[in-house]
């Protein structure tokens, strides 16, 4: 049992707030961050912690971390295909592993093992390719055959007479899930303790510019806040906010849906993903089955959910776990995913001086929250993106040096 937990049992602890108190708003901050999701809050935390920059305001138009941070299915992994991504997400996983202690909040970080099922010869080849790339760069992944897969997840339907029989899988033992809200709350409260100001229900409607530089923001109530530097981290709204700063981002916004079942006794340890069926499933600490699939067929800025998605997702999940037939669904929801052409993010400088971007997080950005915080904080503090994120510069779309991650970014869109 962790010592900290044991101490709780014997000591009276004062009640702790999970949300930072709302401070008085100043006229000017060294840094203004638009977007109080996990990414914006993590950046504020590391600006204060790693760079001593505490005169920072995080502004969110809604309640804190109520965007995609609240809507995601919390899968954390580093089993990507490109060297750039394996290094980047690998670093994020290492940060996650110590994050509960660092933020002093229980993130329910739970390594489960992540299995990407391969139902075709082509999928087996890609799984082996990813395993080799991962191992080459020090990440723990390997290809497993049907026999080993059945041992790792005895509940899986391994029948050879279904439409897509399972041939093997990419196994990534460190694959994990965590409590998404707590990640954002942890960053918010610790950043606030170091002097960062966090404001919810504070919408930015304009980026103020002078002499080709960002100099502040205007809010929905018409008031202005001056800023030395401005950064946007507004997953799902990246194009609209970038337009306020006067540039375009190569992003298409598409809804991504998910749903959970009623709580069940724990039976599913690993996270299961099927690229051929376009579904994934894990079991949360509460016992609920957390399930999702591909993005919706058309671009849209709405977080409505559809009966068609629920029916087709349930049907495909039943191919993998036929015994779930009688299980009830509790909730279904969607978030808006900002998709790039190469399924990699857009991070760093923008055409506007003193204005930085953290965007293009599509369906894959929760796992990147800590590493985005660290690297964007360094970018904002020094004016130079660190090597880990230079491949994700927006300029890659002009010089065609894309970082193609379609095969490994999510469930197979
Ligand atoms: P958000 O949490 O969306 O925060 C952005 C904030 O900006 C919002 O709170 C919004 O209110 C605010 N904002 C927007 N416009 C303005 C404005 N004008 N002024 C002020 N504030 C503004 N990723 C994974 O790694 N693993 C997964 O398993 C996974 N599953 C997913 C499942 C679903 C259904 C969805 C939708 C996404 C999933 N993702 C997953 C992706 C992940 O959720 C996102 O990439 C990540 O949460 C982005 O974090 P963020 O802080 O950038 O954005
Ligand atoms: O990034 O692993 C992922 C993921 C799974 C589902 C949505 N995103």
């Amino acid at each position: 049992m962790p010592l900290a937990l044991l101490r709780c049992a014997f000591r009276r602890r004062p009640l702790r707030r999970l949300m930072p108190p709302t401070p008085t708003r100043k006229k000017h901050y060294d840094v203004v961050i638009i977007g109080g999701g996990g990414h914006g809050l993590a950046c504020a935390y590391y600006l204060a912690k790693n760079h001593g920059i505490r005169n920072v305001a995080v502004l969110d138009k809604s309640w804190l971390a109520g965007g995609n941070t609240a809507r995601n299915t919390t899968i954390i992994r580093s089993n990507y295909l490109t060297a750039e991504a394996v290094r980047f997400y690998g670093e994020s996983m290492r940060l996650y592993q110590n994050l509960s202690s660092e933020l002093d909040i229980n993130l329910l970080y739970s390594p489960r093992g992540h299995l990407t099922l391969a139902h075709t010869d082509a999928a087996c080849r890609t799984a082996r390719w990813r395993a080799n790339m991962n191992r080459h760069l020090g990440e723990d992944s390997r290809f497993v055959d049907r026999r080993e897969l059945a041992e790792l997840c005895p509940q899986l339907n391994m029948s050879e007479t279904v439409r897509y029989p399972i041939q093997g899988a990419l196994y990534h033992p460190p694959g994990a899930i965590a409590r998404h809200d707590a990640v954002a709350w942890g960053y918010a409260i610790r950043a606030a303790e170091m002097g960062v100001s966090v404001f919810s229900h504070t919408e930015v409607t304009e980026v103020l510019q002078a002499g080709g530089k960002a100099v502040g923001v205007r809010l929905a109530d018409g008031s202005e806040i001056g800023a030395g530097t401005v950064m946007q981290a507004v997953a799902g709204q990246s194009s609209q906010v970038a337009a306020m700063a006067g540039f375009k981002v190569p992003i298409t916004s598409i809804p991504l849906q998910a749903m959970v079942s009623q709580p069940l006794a724990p039976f599913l340890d690993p996270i299961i993903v099927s690229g051929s069926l376009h579904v994934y499933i894990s079991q949360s600490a509460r016992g609920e089955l957390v399930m999702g699939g591909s993005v919706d067929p058309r671009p849209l800025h709405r977080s409505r959910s559809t009966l068609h998605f629920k029916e087709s997702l349930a049907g495909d999940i039943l191919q993998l776990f036929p015994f779930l037939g009688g299980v009830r669904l509790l909730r279904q929801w969607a978030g808006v995913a900002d998709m790039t052409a190469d399924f990699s993010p857009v991070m760093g400088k923008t055409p506007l001086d003193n204005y930085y971007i953290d965007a293009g997080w599509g369906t894959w950005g929760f796992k990147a929250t800590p590493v985005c915080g660290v690297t964007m904080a360094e970018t904002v503090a020094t004016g130079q993106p660190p090597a880990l994120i230079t491949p994700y510069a927006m300029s890659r779309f002009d010089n065609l040096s894309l970082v193609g991650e379609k095969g490994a970014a999510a469930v197979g869109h």
Side-chain angles (χ1 to χ4, degrees), residues 73 75-77 80 114 256 273 280 363-365 367 409-411:
T73 46
I75 295 173
I76 299 169
R77 61 189 173 88
Y80 278 72
H114 182 280
L256 177 67
V273 180
Y280 61 93
T363 67
W364 49 84
K367 72 180 76 59
V411 189

Short mmCIF file of all heavy atoms in Angstrom, two decimals, residues 73 75-77 80 114 256 273 280 363-365 367 409-411, ligand 2:
data_model
loop_
_atom_site.label_atom_id
_atom_site.label_comp_id
_atom_site.label_asym_id
_atom_site.label_seq_id
_atom_site.Cartn_x
_atom_site.Cartn_y
_atom_site.Cartn_z
N THR A 73 -11.61 9.06 -23.86
CA THR A 73 -11.71 7.71 -23.31
C THR A 73 -10.39 7.28 -22.65
O THR A 73 -10.18 6.11 -22.40
CB THR A 73 -12.11 6.73 -24.43
OG1 THR A 73 -11.30 7.01 -25.58
CG2 THR A 73 -13.56 6.89 -24.80
N ILE A 75 -7.16 6.77 -23.06
CA ILE A 75 -6.13 5.78 -23.40
C ILE A 75 -4.77 6.47 -23.53
O ILE A 75 -4.64 7.49 -24.21
CB ILE A 75 -6.50 5.02 -24.69
CG1 ILE A 75 -7.78 4.21 -24.42
CG2 ILE A 75 -5.35 4.11 -25.14
CD1 ILE A 75 -8.36 3.53 -25.65
N ILE A 76 -3.78 5.88 -22.85
CA ILE A 76 -2.43 6.44 -22.82
C ILE A 76 -1.49 5.35 -23.33
O ILE A 76 -1.49 4.23 -22.81
CB ILE A 76 -2.06 6.84 -21.37
CG1 ILE A 76 -3.04 7.90 -20.86
CG2 ILE A 76 -0.62 7.35 -21.28
CD1 ILE A 76 -2.94 8.17 -19.37
N ARG A 77 -0.71 5.67 -24.34
CA ARG A 77 0.16 4.66 -24.96
C ARG A 77 1.22 5.36 -25.79
O ARG A 77 1.07 6.55 -26.11
CB ARG A 77 -0.67 3.71 -25.85
CG ARG A 77 -1.35 4.47 -26.97
CD ARG A 77 -2.34 3.63 -27.74
NE ARG A 77 -3.07 4.47 -28.67
CZ ARG A 77 -2.69 4.76 -29.91
NH1 ARG A 77 -1.59 4.23 -30.41
NH2 ARG A 77 -3.38 5.57 -30.67
N TYR A 80 3.27 4.09 -31.29
CA TYR A 80 3.03 4.75 -32.58
C TYR A 80 3.93 4.15 -33.67
O TYR A 80 4.69 3.20 -33.43
CB TYR A 80 3.21 6.26 -32.41
CG TYR A 80 1.96 6.91 -31.86
CD1 TYR A 80 1.57 6.72 -30.53
CD2 TYR A 80 1.13 7.64 -32.67
CE1 TYR A 80 0.42 7.28 -30.03
CE2 TYR A 80 -0.04 8.21 -32.19
CZ TYR A 80 -0.39 8.03 -30.87
OH TYR A 80 -1.54 8.58 -30.40
N HIS A 114 -2.09 -2.78 -23.70
CA HIS A 114 -2.93 -2.29 -24.81
C HIS A 114 -2.76 -3.27 -25.95
O HIS A 114 -1.65 -3.56 -26.38
CB HIS A 114 -2.40 -0.89 -25.18
CG HIS A 114 -3.16 -0.19 -26.26
ND1 HIS A 114 -2.98 -0.45 -27.60
CD2 HIS A 114 -4.08 0.80 -26.19
CE1 HIS A 114 -3.77 0.34 -28.30
NE2 HIS A 114 -4.44 1.12 -27.48
N LEU A 256 -16.33 13.05 -32.71
CA LEU A 256 -15.90 11.69 -32.32
C LEU A 256 -16.78 11.29 -31.14
O LEU A 256 -16.86 12.01 -30.15
CB LEU A 256 -14.43 11.70 -31.91
CG LEU A 256 -13.88 10.36 -31.41
CD1 LEU A 256 -13.83 9.32 -32.53
CD2 LEU A 256 -12.48 10.51 -30.81
N VAL A 273 -8.29 -2.80 -28.87
CA VAL A 273 -8.56 -1.96 -30.03
C VAL A 273 -8.63 -2.86 -31.26
O VAL A 273 -7.78 -3.74 -31.42
CB VAL A 273 -7.42 -0.94 -30.26
CG1 VAL A 273 -7.71 -0.06 -31.47
CG2 VAL A 273 -7.20 -0.09 -29.03
N TYR A 280 -12.95 0.24 -29.99
CA TYR A 280 -12.06 -0.03 -28.85
C TYR A 280 -12.88 -0.09 -27.58
O TYR A 280 -13.98 0.46 -27.51
CB TYR A 280 -10.95 1.02 -28.74
CG TYR A 280 -11.43 2.42 -28.52
CD1 TYR A 280 -11.55 2.94 -27.25
CD2 TYR A 280 -11.76 3.23 -29.60
CE1 TYR A 280 -11.99 4.24 -27.04
CE2 TYR A 280 -12.20 4.53 -29.39
CZ TYR A 280 -12.32 5.03 -28.12
OH TYR A 280 -12.75 6.31 -27.93
N THR A 363 -8.09 12.84 -32.26
CA THR A 363 -8.62 11.81 -31.36
C THR A 363 -7.52 11.27 -30.44
O THR A 363 -7.69 10.23 -29.83
CB THR A 363 -9.17 10.64 -32.19
OG1 THR A 363 -8.06 10.01 -32.86
CG2 THR A 363 -10.15 11.09 -33.26
N TRP A 364 -6.36 11.97 -30.35
CA TRP A 364 -5.20 11.33 -29.72
C TRP A 364 -4.47 12.18 -28.68
O TRP A 364 -3.37 11.84 -28.26
CB TRP A 364 -4.21 10.91 -30.82
CG TRP A 364 -3.91 12.04 -31.80
CD1 TRP A 364 -2.98 13.02 -31.62
CD2 TRP A 364 -4.51 12.29 -33.07
NE1 TRP A 364 -2.98 13.88 -32.70
CE2 TRP A 364 -3.92 13.45 -33.60
CE3 TRP A 364 -5.50 11.65 -33.81
CZ2 TRP A 364 -4.28 14.00 -34.84
CZ3 TRP A 364 -5.87 12.21 -35.04
CH2 TRP A 364 -5.26 13.35 -35.55
N GLY A 365 -5.07 13.29 -28.24
CA GLY A 365 -4.29 14.26 -27.46
C GLY A 365 -4.30 14.12 -25.96
O GLY A 365 -3.52 14.78 -25.28
N LYS A 367 -3.37 11.59 -24.11
CA LYS A 367 -2.12 10.96 -23.69
C LYS A 367 -0.94 11.91 -23.77
O LYS A 367 0.08 11.72 -23.14
CB LYS A 367 -1.85 9.69 -24.53
CG LYS A 367 -1.44 10.01 -25.96
CD LYS A 367 -1.17 8.76 -26.77
CE LYS A 367 -2.41 8.04 -27.19
NZ LYS A 367 -3.34 8.84 -28.02
N ALA A 409 -2.65 6.38 -35.04
CA ALA A 409 -3.13 7.48 -34.20
C ALA A 409 -4.34 7.08 -33.36
O ALA A 409 -4.46 7.46 -32.21
CB ALA A 409 -3.49 8.69 -35.05
N ALA A 410 -5.25 6.30 -33.92
CA ALA A 410 -6.42 5.95 -33.13
C ALA A 410 -6.94 4.60 -33.55
O ALA A 410 -6.20 3.65 -33.65
CB ALA A 410 -7.48 7.02 -33.24
N VAL A 411 -8.22 4.53 -33.88
CA VAL A 411 -8.83 3.22 -34.07
C VAL A 411 -8.83 2.80 -35.53
O VAL A 411 -9.20 1.69 -35.87
CB VAL A 411 -10.26 3.25 -33.51
CG1 VAL A 411 -10.88 1.88 -33.49
CG2 VAL A 411 -10.25 3.82 -32.13
O1 LIG B 2 -5.35 7.81 -28.96
O2 LIG B 2 -5.35 5.74 -28.24
C1 LIG B 2 -5.92 6.75 -28.67
C2 LIG B 2 -7.39 6.72 -28.78
C3 LIG B 2 -8.20 5.67 -28.58
C4 LIG B 2 -9.46 6.13 -28.80
C5 LIG B 2 -9.42 7.43 -29.12
N1 LIG B 2 -8.12 7.79 -29.11
#
